Amino acid sequence: MVSTASDRHPTQPHLEPAYTETLPCTPESAPTARRLIRQALGAWALDALADDACLIANEMVANACRHTRSPLIRVSVTRLDGTRVEIAVTDRSRALPVRKPASPASPDALGGRGLVLVEAIAARWGADPKRWGKRVWAEVRAA
């Protein structure tokens, strides 16, 4: 489910400040993004969300590296309430992500499944256009 900025955030303030880090827009930044997410989730006692959140972050970092010319990205993880966190990757490209339909004709393809995975795992996801780029986010919830 893709959501817009206007319908995703609750009116209540976040319980904790966001964990953020600015990283080079390279595939080598994915492990650092995953460490940041695991650190935040551990601090918030939401370790059960780590695998899903890290997979989502991995795909969003890979998409930013593949589809933008940004030299840097900003990765953030924000606790929305006691059971929900938001993973976000911000870059300088104004091109919004486009989810490609799953293609049964090419099951061995190496790419093109990033947003399909994000959509399957996330409670919801979306992209917020900015004057200087965009912010792609996904919400992960505890059961």
Side-chain angles (χ1 to χ4, degrees):
M1 169 187 199
V2 179
S3 299
T4 62
S6 62
D7 68 355
R8 90 172 178 277
H9 289 296
T11 55
Q12 65 193 26
H14 302 308
L15 295 177
E16 302 287 337
Y19 282 64
T20 64
E21 192 161 344
T22 300
L23 303 167
C25 189
T26 63
E28 292 77 19
S29 291
T32 304
R34 291 190 304 267
R35 277 192 298 277
L36 175 74
I37 289 164
R38 288 190 185 281
Q39 177 185 7
L41 295 176
W44 298 328
L46 292 170
D47 301 275
L49 299 178
D51 290 342
D52 286 348
C54 287
L55 179 56
I56 286 170
N58 211 58
E59 293 302 326
M60 291 195 303
V61 168
N63 282 347
C65 295
R66 191 173 297 122
H67 300 292
T68 74
R69 292 187 180 171
S70 271
L72 299 171
I73 56 174
R74 183 140 188 99
V75 177
S76 64
V77 56
T78 306
R79 185 175 178 186
L80 301 175
D81 61 27
T83 62
R84 298 180 306 139
V85 297
E86 178 188 81
I87 309 303
V89 174
T90 304
D91 63 54
R92 294 237 176 235
S93 170
R94 290 188 199 147
L96 296 177
V98 177
R99 183 193 162 285
K100 296 177 184 176
S103 173
S106 58
D108 295 330
L110 296 177
R113 293 189 183 92
L115 291 178
V116 173
L117 285 172
V118 170
E119 189 171 86
I121 295 168
R124 53 189 177 172
W125 72 277
D128 300 332
K130 304 290 184 185
R131 276 186 301 117
W132 41 262
K134 71 176 168 304
R135 182 173 178 274
V136 181
W137 57 269
E139 184 180 307
V140 181
R141 295 179 185 175

